[in-house]
Amino acid sequence: MTEKRPIWTKSFINISISTFFIFVVFYALLTYIPIYVMNDLGGTATQGGLAVSAFLVSAIIMRFFAGLILEKYGKRNVLVLSILMFAVSTILYIFVGDFTVLLFLRFFHGIWFSLMTTVGGAIAADLIPPERRGEGLGYYGIAMNLAIVGGPFIALTLLPYVTAQSIFSIFAVIMAIGFLCALSVKLDEVPAAPKEAERKLVFSDFVEKKAVPIGSVAFFVSFAYASIISFISVYAESLGLIKTASFFFIVYAIAMLLVRPFSGRIFDSIGPNVVIIPSLIIFAIGLFSLSQTDSPWMLLFSGALVGVGYGTLLPSFQTLAIQAADKHRSGHATGTFFALYDTGIAIGSVSLGIIAAAFGYSNLYLILAAFILCAVFYYVWVMKKQTKATN
């Protein structure tokens, strides 16, 4: 019997820790920036939303260039540079005193977030034995999921006690630790296929076509998930459950952590459909449960279902996107995947707010539950089409 090759190497641990700190700061800023704009810069809620959007716009744009940059300069070089610049950008918040300057900084910051998260996922995939990639990327995804809890918790806990400059300074220290971990990542780079010295850029330099089908499924799922990120606290407040809402993502994280080790192994040993189809259905049930919520326990139960369902889907989709591409194109595949995923979040955050204003939050979650059930059939169609193409 062949011994399993290890997942938890020193480099894999370090890239996971770096990613965790990146996402802690990302989610902390996502929570804190609108408050900072209104309380410290004298801005409006609309300006606070604009500051969030500027970050996401640059991140999405950079996704399409990330694969080309990784291929040209090497994954480890891009990793170190992008985390360094992300840390420097975090430090610069300390000196911001004007909304216009903040807007430019947010756009600049988003560029390095996009590069780092793209290269981080690609490096993690390269470090994991191919036969254990579903399991390994599931573990890697825990870093992002835990940050959903850790980032807002740090920001909101510090808010009543310290100044904005102190909060940004703490974020900078967190990023310094993340940068030190990134320096310890070692990687055997896979050379790309040789190219002519002078040539025109083509579509494949920006997009990995083989990652688009599963990326489109992730787009629809992240579109629905935007309702959780953007509106769960507002919805809970409308139900008189705002105190319970602070525990929603804690329950989400615990549920996700309980199933992640098993779901990754099942993905590798039996196949993706056995993991993804039930996870889509559970996510849909979680959204339906939210639409019917009228008590604290039901809100937390919904959080557990969303954690099991959605928390399993993201690493599973990312694994399929990377597996669909050639190994030296893992950076392009990761960039393409996250471009579609981020676009779903961005569009969902805006359009679902309009739907919620028209029909109410309860009906919004009911509509999205049906939407995700439709996504099950779309996923099955995509996988059948992809299987035919490879045969």
Side-chain angles (χ1 to χ4, degrees):
M1 184 176 175
T2 306
E3 186 179 350
K4 283 186 177 180
R5 288 187 287 174
I7 292 174
W8 294 102
T9 59
K10 182 181 177 182
S11 289
F12 181 77
I13 291 170
N14 279 312
I15 192 65
S16 298
I17 293 172
S18 290
T19 298
F20 172 71
F21 286 131
I22 283 276
F23 275 92
V24 162
V25 172
F26 167 70
Y27 284 113
L29 288 171
L30 200 65
T31 303
Y32 181 65
I33 284 296
I35 300 170
Y36 170 68
V37 168
M38 290 184 284
N39 292 354
D40 292 77
L41 299 183
T44 64
T46 302
Q47 287 177 316
L50 192 59
V52 171
S53 300
F55 186 101
L56 293 174
V57 167
S58 64
I60 292 168
I61 293 171
M62 184 53 63
R63 294 288 189 198
F64 294 104
F65 297 91
L68 187 64
I69 293 169
L70 267 58
E71 186 177 315
K72 185 172 182 179
Y73 297 105
K75 292 172 187 172
R76 191 181 182 280
N77 292 335
V78 175
L79 172 72
V80 173
L81 176 64
S82 59
I83 293 189
L84 175 62
M85 294 307 296
F86 189 94
V88 169
S89 301
T90 305
I91 293 170
L92 291 177
Y93 284 97
I94 299 169
F95 307 102
V96 170
D98 177 77
F99 176 73
T100 304
V101 175
L102 176 67
L103 213 55
F104 280 109
L105 178 57
R106 291 293 289 166
F107 188 90
F108 181 73
H109 205 176
I111 292 171
W112 304 108
F113 172 79
S114 180
L115 273 178
M116 188 280 144
T117 50
T118 301
V119 73
I123 287 176
D126 289 347
L127 291 170
I128 299 165
E131 69 276 8
R132 301 186 70 185
R133 191 163 282 159
E135 181 185 357
L137 283 177
Y139 291 136
Y140 176 73
I142 289 175
M144 291 177 277
N145 290 123
L146 289 180
I148 293 174
V149 180
F153 177 80
I154 292 171
L156 295 176
T157 301
L158 292 172
L159 182 61
Y161 303 106
V162 298
T163 64
Q165 285 69 30
S166 298
I167 291 176
F168 291 135
S169 297
I170 291 168
F171 294 164
V173 170
I174 292 171
M175 281 314 309
I177 299 170
F179 176 70
L180 292 175
C181 290
L183 291 177
S184 300
V185 174
K186 306 297 179 186
L187 180 70
D188 294 326
E189 300 270 7
V190 178
K195 294 185 175 72
E196 297 175 12
E198 295 289 336
R199 67 174 182 84
K200 291 182 179 179
L201 293 176
V202 294
F203 182 74
S204 62
D205 287 321
F206 305 101
V207 175
E208 174 51 66
K209 289 188 288 185
K210 294 177 181 178
V212 169
I214 197 63
S216 66
V217 181
F219 168 86
F220 291 120
V221 171
S222 67
F223 175 87
Y225 184 67
S227 67
I228 304 293
I229 295 176
S230 302
F231 308 121
I232 193 65
S233 59
V234 181
Y235 179 48
E237 187 174 32
S238 71
L239 296 172
L241 301 174
I242 191 62
K243 291 183 180 179
T244 308
S246 60
F247 295 96
F248 180 91
F249 284 110
I250 294 176
V251 173
Y252 166 101
I254 292 171
M256 178 268 299
L257 285 170
L258 288 174
V259 300
R260 183 60 60 78
F262 307 103
S263 62
R265 289 171 192 164
I266 293 169
F267 184 103
D268 290 326
S269 59
I270 301 178
N273 291 349
V274 180
V275 173
I276 291 175
I277 292 174
S279 296
L280 283 167
I281 293 171
I282 292 169
F283 182 34
I285 295 172
L287 291 168
F288 175 78
S289 178
L290 272 176
S291 75
Q292 305 302 307
T293 292
D294 59 4
S295 63
W297 75 265
M298 200 165 181
L299 183 65
L300 297 180
F301 176 67
S302 303
L305 289 173
V306 171
V308 172
Y310 176 81
T312 303
L313 289 170
L314 179 57
S316 299
F317 288 151
Q318 186 182 354
T319 302
L320 286 176
I322 291 170
Q323 287 179 339
D326 297 331
K327 188 170 183 180
H328 74 273
R329 298 271 300 174
S330 61
H332 291 78
T334 305
T336 300
F337 171 80
F338 275 113
L340 290 165
Y341 172 83
D342 290 345
T343 301
I345 293 283
I347 294 176
S349 297
V350 176
S351 58
L352 294 180
I354 298 170
I355 295 173
F359 299 101
Y361 290 104
S362 179
N363 288 328
L364 170 68
Y365 288 116
L366 187 62
I367 292 167
L368 290 174
F371 179 78
I372 291 298
L373 286 178
C374 293
V376 175
F377 296 100
Y378 178 63
Y379 165 76
V380 172
W381 177 78
V382 165
M383 292 302 289
K384 281 184 179 179
K385 191 174 180 182
Q386 195 160 312
T387 301
K388 285 182 181 178
T390 53
N391 290 339

